[in-house]
Amino acid sequence: MNILRKAFLTIEGYDLIRKAETVLCAVSGGPDSVALLTILKEINEMQDLGWKIHIAHFNHGLRGKEADADEAFVKSLAEKLQLPFHRGAADVKALRKAEGLSLEEAARKARHAWLRETALGLGAADKGLKIALGHNLDDQAETILHRI
């Protein structure tokens, strides 16, 4: 079974995204999130689901020019795909210090808070709006280790 079919059956089987809903897809610029965006866009077009896909990119401000290059790539990708682009940023180091978190925890907290805020700004409270995040097995293992 190809990845598009498997993803579609999973979305449909778990009722993750319904017809004509808005999807805020978090895209870092890495392969996981770009693949997620590509899969969602392809499924939407192939199945004529009417999803309104928005691209969300959060710059943690931790990697300097490399992070700026990721942001520019994601913005360019949004333009190429003709999808709305939303950009967020935060002082993750200050959040880490203020709340006594690890750098990874502070980055995740800031990113997730911004995604929720952006979703609310798009009317998440009033209509069907989903946030899509790309994670791989290494990310899941990292989350478990953080919780331990």
Side-chain angles (χ1 to χ4, degrees):
M1 177 180 321
N2 75 34
I3 192 164
L4 288 175
R5 180 152 175 72
K6 188 171 185 175
F8 173 69
L9 291 174
T10 300
I11 290 167
E12 186 179 61
Y14 288 97
D15 197 26
L16 298 176
I17 309 169
R18 296 181 179 165
K19 198 166 188 151
E21 285 190 318
T22 299
V23 182
L24 182 61
C25 186
V27 181
S28 67
D32 297 344
S33 62
V34 172
L36 173 64
L37 173 63
T38 302
I39 289 167
L40 290 174
K41 189 168 183 337
E42 289 290 321
I43 290 171
N44 190 36
E45 290 171 1
M46 289 170 53
Q47 299 296 325
D48 194 27
L49 295 167
W51 295 341
K52 293 159 209 72
I53 300 172
H54 290 243
I55 296 176
H57 178 79
F58 190 81
N59 189 331
H60 299 90
L62 298 173
R63 298 180 299 116
K65 291 181 190 229
E66 195 176 331
D68 294 340
D70 286 344
E71 182 178 325
F73 167 75
V74 175
K75 185 175 182 183
S76 172
L77 181 61
E79 290 168 0
K80 177 182 172 188
L81 298 175
Q82 298 180 331
L83 296 172
F85 175 76
H86 305 270
R87 180 221 188 255
D91 187 343
V92 172
K93 289 180 182 177
L95 178 64
R96 172 189 183 194
K97 186 175 181 180
E99 297 194 18
L101 302 170
S102 73
L103 194 57
E104 292 81 10
E105 289 171 317
R108 185 179 302 113
K109 183 174 183 174
R111 181 176 61 252
H112 287 194
W114 175 76
L115 286 168
R116 279 190 301 276
E117 178 183 309
T118 302
L120 288 172
L122 291 170
D126 301 326
K127 60 185 175 200
L129 188 143
K130 305 294 169 80
I131 298 174
L133 300 160
H135 293 283
N136 62 40
L137 289 175
D138 289 341
D139 295 331
Q140 291 175 8
E142 179 181 315
T143 299
I144 290 168
L145 290 173
H146 281 278
R147 289 185 181 164
I148 293 172

